[in-house]
Amino acid sequence: MWHPFCTVANDVLEVFMDTPVVDNRLIKPRHLRILIPSVLLLALVLYLLLRDSSSTYRAEREKCTIEATFLGPFHDFIRLTGVVEPISSVSVEALEGGRVEEVLLEEGSMVEKGDVIVKLRNEALNLSFTDQHSSYAYLTNELTNQLIQVKQQEISDKQELLAMDNDINDKGRKLQKVESLYAKGGVSPEEYLVLKGAYETAVKNRELKLQKMSLDSALRRNQRSQIEMKMLLVRQQLDNLNVKAPLSGLLGSIELEVGQSVGKGQRIGQISDLSSYKITAQVDEHYIDRIRKGLVATVARQQDTFLLELAKVYPEVKSNQFRIDLRFVAGLPSSIRTGQSYSLSLQLGETREAIQIAKGGFFQSTGGQWVYVLLPDGRTAVKRNIKIGRQNPQYYEIIEGLEPGEQVITSNYDAFGDNDKIIFN
């Protein structure tokens, strides 16, 4: 049965079926299939980039030494332990060989320069001296005779010179008279020239006589000097059998017995000059390029401070150390003795402002190339590269990497391994 309402409903239904449906949502299902994986990937990348990848070590703060850096005058010095030694020591050597006849002074004796320490005996030298002495006595006798002859010759020469002078004076007077007559034409030229030649010859003969006298005298002096030098040498050899102290001081290291054979040049002892003292110290080879003569050091003793100067640097390095000698500049400690140990401070450079950190075990762990620096939270310390300059017994000079007031772990790092961060429990 047909009804008008049905016709209208069908028309309306056809209209809705022919009209397209519009989806007004901002994010549609197809978008989600792309967006969700993208967000997850981005989150993963950010996590990997922002996460703390540094290695961490947890430590107890009470077991770590923490020091603050500071800015202040850096005193460039090192502390050394030195040993007191005599200002100089000289070996006592036998100038001639022989057998010990007598030991006059024992080890530990105070001696004066020239004191006889040991007497030696050398029979061959004694015989040689006797032979030479006989020859010398003969030559001395001959020399005495020559001296008498010399005196006689000197008298004869003086007489001869006196005669020559008289002859020259006579010829001179005659020549003067002849010259005046010759000028007036009263004397022939031949007569004038003969007198003039005779006068000049007399003067030259006197000069030659003086030269001969001088040469004869020099020859005699030379002959006598040679004889005396030869005998002096033999006497000196005999005197060298008495071994004498070359300087005043303390005799040490002498061990000789009567009858013992001693060779020429053999060392038989040592004398220490106690007029002053020096301090000998060993220095780490780390400072070898900075140690030089003239550096100043101080030593505190008996509530007084004494000044020293570096006098000698020994170039040889043994067991990673080298030796230096320092001498007192003014004054000595009243109770100074050989063998005492003194603690001294050796100034290496000028004092100037610098950032500093207290010395500690961290240097042995890192070589001073980096340290752990505390963050402001006080619970975390991170690794930081630094550069260390000079050092003294208390502090390191910081050239790069730290600012004044920063907190640094200065104790040993061996327990921390190679971790980048330290977190305190």
Side-chain angles (χ1 to χ4, degrees):
M1 180 177 175
W2 179 85
H3 194 280
F5 179 76
C6 291
T7 303
V8 174
N10 289 332
D11 292 339
V12 172
L13 181 59
E14 290 179 1
V15 170
F16 276 102
M17 291 178 63
D18 295 338
T19 303
V21 178
V22 178
D23 189 351
N24 293 323
R25 289 177 297 177
L26 293 176
I27 299 176
K28 299 176 176 58
R30 68 176 182 274
H31 293 155
L32 292 176
R33 289 192 299 270
I34 300 174
L35 183 59
I36 291 174
S38 300
V39 170
L40 293 176
L41 179 61
L42 178 61
L44 178 60
V45 171
L46 291 176
Y47 170 76
L48 294 175
L49 292 175
L50 299 179
R51 70 168 182 165
D52 186 0
S53 60
S54 59
S55 55
T56 301
Y57 181 87
R58 293 189 174 274
E60 297 180 20
R61 182 171 181 138
E62 294 75 13
K63 294 183 179 180
C64 298
T65 302
I66 299 175
E67 300 283 352
T69 58
F70 67 94
L71 179 66
F74 183 84
H75 302 286
D76 190 10
F77 72 98
I78 57 175
R79 292 198 185 279
L80 303 171
T81 299
V83 178
V84 176
E85 294 185 359
I87 192 66
S88 64
S89 296
V90 178
S91 295
V92 180
E93 298 177 352
L95 299 180
E96 290 291 341
R99 293 189 177 277
V100 178
E101 186 175 46
E102 185 179 3
V103 180
L104 301 176
L105 296 172
E106 300 294 337
E107 181 176 347
S109 303
M110 295 298 299
V111 299
E112 296 295 330
K113 183 177 180 180
D115 287 350
V116 178
I117 302 171
V118 176
K119 286 186 176 182
L120 303 176
R121 183 171 184 82
N122 187 319
E123 295 297 340
L125 191 60
N126 287 334
L127 290 174
S128 174
F129 176 77
T130 302
D131 293 341
Q132 293 290 344
H133 187 275
S134 300
S135 176
Y136 179 72
Y138 171 77
L139 292 174
T140 302
N141 187 45
E142 287 295 314
L143 196 59
T144 302
N145 293 333
Q146 288 181 12
L147 183 60
I148 294 174
Q149 293 177 3
V150 167
K151 292 296 183 181
Q152 293 174 345
Q153 187 64 42
E154 286 179 353
I155 293 174
S156 176
D157 289 339
K158 288 180 180 179
Q159 291 174 342
E160 188 175 345
L161 285 174
L162 183 61
M164 286 182 171
D165 290 338
N166 291 332
D167 183 55
I168 290 172
N169 290 333
D170 290 341
K171 286 181 170 57
R173 285 193 299 268
K174 290 180 180 180
L175 182 61
Q176 287 179 350
K177 292 179 181 180
V178 171
E179 281 180 342
S180 60
L181 293 173
Y182 176 71
K184 297 177 182 179
V187 177
S188 65
E190 182 179 356
E191 185 178 357
Y192 168 72
L193 292 175
V194 170
L195 289 174
K196 183 180 179 182
Y199 173 78
E200 292 177 348
T201 300
V203 171
K204 290 180 179 178
N205 285 336
R206 188 181 189 281
E207 293 176 354
L208 292 173
K209 179 64 177 179
L210 290 174
Q211 292 179 10
K212 182 178 182 301
M213 290 170 59
S214 177
L215 290 173
D216 290 343
S217 177
L219 180 61
R220 288 190 293 268
R221 286 196 303 269
N222 184 53
Q223 290 174 343
R224 183 174 181 179
S225 177
Q226 288 179 352
I227 296 172
E228 291 176 346
M229 284 295 294
K230 186 176 182 180
M231 197 60 200
L232 179 62
L233 179 61
V234 176
R235 288 184 179 276
Q236 185 64 53
Q237 286 178 320
L238 189 63
D239 188 57
N240 285 342
L241 292 175
N242 296 322
V243 182
K244 301 177 181 179
L247 77 163
S248 301
L250 179 67
L251 178 63
S253 304
I254 180 169
E255 296 181 1
L256 291 175
E257 296 180 358
V258 175
Q260 180 178 341
S261 179
V262 176
K264 183 177 180 179
Q266 180 177 333
R267 182 180 183 275
I268 64 172
Q270 176 178 293
I271 296 179
S272 299
D273 182 3
L274 301 183
S275 61
S276 187
Y277 295 88
K278 66 182 179 181
I279 293 182
T280 297
Q282 297 291 331
V283 185
D284 191 282
E285 64 178 343
H286 171 79
Y287 299 100
I288 196 167
D289 293 332
R290 304 191 62 195
I291 300 296
R292 64 187 184 280
K293 289 179 63 176
L295 292 180
V296 175
T298 56
V299 58
R301 200 74 174 179
Q302 301 167 345
Q303 299 180 344
D304 293 322
T305 300
F306 297 90
L307 189 65
L308 301 101
E309 183 180 34
L310 202 160
K312 186 174 182 179
V313 179
Y314 295 85
E316 186 177 5
V317 177
K318 292 182 178 179
S319 301
N320 301 322
Q321 291 184 320
F322 61 97
R323 177 184 168 186
I324 61 173
D325 288 346
L326 303 105
R327 297 187 177 183
F328 287 91
V329 175
L332 296 170
S334 59
S335 60
I336 189 169
R337 295 291 184 275
T338 300
Q340 288 178 327
S341 294
Y342 278 24
S343 177
L344 53 94
S345 299
L346 178 63
Q347 192 75 24
L348 299 181
E350 297 180 356
T351 299
R352 64 169 181 257
E353 291 287 310
I355 300 173
Q356 303 170 55
I357 186 66
K359 299 185 79 169
F362 75 93
F363 190 90
Q364 285 69 36
S365 301
T366 71
Q369 297 182 354
W370 55 272
V371 292
Y372 286 113
V373 183
L374 266 67
L375 298 180
D377 63 11
R379 296 185 61 254
T380 307
V382 295
K383 184 187 293 186
R384 185 189 300 177
N385 292 330
I386 64 170
K387 185 175 181 180
I388 289 178
R390 301 173 297 172
Q391 58 178 289
N392 62 32
Q394 297 173 302
Y395 303 104
Y396 292 113
E397 177 189 29
I398 303 300
I399 298 177
E400 294 178 3
L402 292 173
E403 296 296 330
E406 290 191 289
Q407 301 284 323
V408 177
I409 300 176
T410 59
S411 51
N412 192 281
Y413 292 176
D414 290 348
F416 301 157
D418 196 32
N419 291 286
D420 299 318
K421 184 186 298 183
I422 305 299
I423 297 179
F424 296 115
N425 296 328

